[in-house]
Amino acid sequence: KPWTLIIMKLSNTDNVNVLIGQANWAWPQAVSKIFQPRGINALVAESANDIVHIINNNKIHMAILDTPPLGQSAMHTLKIIRKEHKLLPCLLLAQKIDNRLLSQALELKAFSVLTKPIDLDLLAGQIDRLFQKHYQSNIFAEELQD
């Protein structure tokens, strides 16, 4: 089916949704440091089925998918997402990044692959870059008031 790429400017955060898959990384710290202060809606999914359900029923602006140390679940989930949502920007998190993982991520058009344990400043920088590129939005670049 034909599709049109619509670039949208995000002027406020009332409707900005970030999907977090299998949040067993520094999730509480990320919420308190990156998402919550900006009023971003962070939706957590515990399974690929949850992710598909959330994406199909909400406007999602980006997804963060985790790859467990002994699995390919993030890659599997990204393949499922790509069947229906070819343009959804996704960040992948992985314990071990090798050429095979990077090749698969590139093929599935992942925006970025980050190594675990997650450096929250690096994660925030990648999210900022993603929102600037895909939405021409600086909502993650803004300095926050303490």
Side-chain angles (χ1 to χ4, degrees), residues 42-78:
L43 308 171
V44 181
E46 293 300 322
S47 69
N49 287 338
D50 289 347
I51 288 172
V52 170
H53 177 76
I54 290 170
I55 290 173
N56 287 337
N57 292 292
N58 300 277
K59 171 63 178 163
I60 301 297
H61 295 87
M62 72 165 285
I64 301 174
L65 305 174
D66 193 0
T67 300
L70 300 175
Q72 286 287 322
S73 67
M75 206 60 70
H76 175 73
T77 303
L78 185 53

Side-chain angles (χ1 to χ4, degrees), residues 106-122:
L106 184 62
E107 183 179 318
L108 293 170
K109 296 181 179 29
F111 183 80
S112 183
V113 181
L114 301 173
T115 188
K116 297 189 307 185
I118 298 302
D119 177 315
L120 290 182
D121 291 331
L122 180 60

Side-chain angles (χ1 to χ4, degrees), residues 93-108:
L93 311 179
Q95 191 75 37
K96 180 182 174 206
I97 297 176
D98 57 21
N99 287 341
R100 182 173 179 261
L101 179 78
L102 291 174
S103 176
Q104 288 177 326
L106 184 62
E107 183 179 318
L108 293 170

